[in-house]
Amino acid sequence: MTTLAPPATIAFIGLGMMGRPMAARLAEAGFKLRLYDLSQKAVSDFVGAHPSALATASPKAAAQGADALITMLPDGKVVRQAVIEGRDAAREGLAPGALVVDMSSSNPVDTQKLARDLAASGVALLDAPVSGGVRRAIDGSLSIMVGGAAADLERARPVFGAMGKTITLCGPAGAGHALKALNNYLSAAGLVAMCEALVVGEAFGLDPGTMVDVFNSSTGKSNATEVKGRQFVVSRTFAAGFTAGLMAKDLRTAGDVASHLGLDMPVLRQSVGYWADAVARLGPAADHTEIFRYAEMLAGEGK
Ligand code: NAD
């Protein structure tokens, strides 16, 4: 089993908000890239900025001759289509012994099935979702949560090292995706709590910037207050680079994991509903920090 060090060839599928900067880190580290995205513009823009990368016309073409294939797609259903079920799927081009790494935030139950299906073709799967957002994708300091075999993680360590700072083996196939969904439940719940606190505080006459500063020096501090409070919410720029639609999907995944295990978690259940209703009002493409606008809408309607 050879380690995937530069100049190994990586097929990379999904050059969106996250995939683009992550693939850029790999190109800069000296990996050879074979790219595919439904959006031809996403691929041509990337190749314009990184001429050593090769544009391809399908997941299968991207996979041909690659030592590993990375997916950074909206969800596990899209990943399954690209890797095994769709037309010209990647599996048709992958050599036995190649490694598939799904870095999307997918449903862990789907991931367990994908791992079994790929193993039947001699292809190993790691789930390796990330946390840290676009900013940490750009500077290569993502947190990467890995599910799968420890030996496969060791094989892929130089690839992960180019994109992330904290690389954690969470357990077998699906463990990374489960932990990621639960992480985003905490992140989403913390964000809603901050937004509701800001709406109530403003109505009381408090200054929102002062509120965020006090949270950050007090026990209310969270990623929402530290990273999103002043930068995206109080400023009303709402430009974190992660959509409300994807956050609602992650909440749904966390809820599905709990239901799959027969666990009823009331606050999680309510969070799933809250974000689904918010997305119906704001639209799936709204930035997830616009959940503050949704909290304001609810407050206005409740008067
Ligand atoms: P995005 O919508 O910006 O990018 C998705 C990309 O996939 C797009 O370029 C799209 O054209 C492409 N695509 C869609 N369907 C395809 C298909 N069938 N074949 C090929 N390409 C296809 O999404 P993103 O924000 O980059 O998120 C990607 C994944 O990472 C999601 O699972 C998301 O939940 C997760 N994530 C996002 C962030 C963030 O801050 N944006 C942070 C951590 C994790």
Side-chain angles (χ1 to χ4, degrees), residues 5-283:
T9 300
I10 312 282
F12 202 107
I13 304 184
L15 297 167
M17 296 292 289
M18 291 295 284
R20 191 171 41 241
M22 289 163 67
R25 298 282 311 179
L26 294 178
E28 281 150 21
F31 287 99
K32 290 191 206 134
L33 295 182
R34 298 175 65 82
L35 307 171
Y36 177 70
D37 192 293
L38 267 188
S39 156
Q40 287 183 2
K41 184 176 179 314
V43 176
S44 57
D45 285 354
F46 190 94
V47 174
H50 303 274
S52 65
L54 190 80
T56 71
S58 68
K60 175 182 172 182
Q64 277 161 347
D67 302 298
L69 171 108
I70 293 178
T71 45
M72 194 55 177
L73 293 164
D75 61 37
K77 303 270 180 278
V78 179
V79 171
R80 191 170 177 87
Q81 283 293 315
V83 175
I84 59 177
E85 272 179 2
R87 205 163 134 246
D88 291 328
R91 181 163 63 174
E92 298 169 33
L94 281 174
L99 181 66
V100 173
V101 185
D102 180 21
M103 303 193 77
S104 331
S105 304
S106 302
N107 186 308
V109 181
D110 295 344
T111 303
Q112 290 172 330
K113 179 161 165 34
L114 184 64
R116 286 193 297 274
D117 293 343
L118 284 173
S121 326
V123 169
L125 174 74
L126 288 176
D127 45 306
V130 303
S131 185
V134 174
R135 185 178 57 78
R136 284 170 59 188
I138 292 170
D139 70 18
S141 68
L142 291 167
S143 166
I144 306 181
M145 307 163 214
V146 185
D152 289 325
L153 164 55
E154 287 318 314
R155 204 170 144 199
R157 196 172 281 282
V159 178
F160 293 145
M163 295 181 282
K165 214 175 206 166
T166 314
I167 300 154
T168 309
L169 182 61
C170 304
H177 281 152
L179 190 31
K180 167 66 188 176
L182 294 169
N183 174 75
N184 276 28
Y185 163 45
L186 264 66
S187 172
L191 180 59
V192 170
M194 176 186 75
C195 290
E196 290 192 343
L198 288 176
V199 170
V200 174
E202 271 197 274
F204 189 80
L206 293 169
D207 172 67
T210 304
M211 288 181 73
V212 170
D213 293 345
V214 171
F215 294 148
N216 284 335
S217 58
S218 309
T219 53
K221 180 166 83 172
S222 68
N223 175 271
T225 65
E226 275 194 310
V227 178
K228 299 167 191 170
R230 270 196 179 270
Q231 200 181 351
F232 303 123
V233 174
V234 175
S235 68
R236 302 189 81 88
T237 54
F238 304 125
F242 179 49
T243 65
L246 287 176
M247 183 61 108
K249 176 255 321 186
D250 290 340
L251 265 286
R252 228 168 28 242
T253 302
D256 287 350
V257 172
S259 317
H260 181 75
L261 298 168
L263 302 170
D264 182 29
M265 296 284 127
V267 178
L268 171 56
R269 186 163 28 80
Q270 282 178 29
S271 299
V272 174
Y274 187 94
W275 281 84
D277 292 345
V279 166
R281 297 279 291 273
L282 299 170

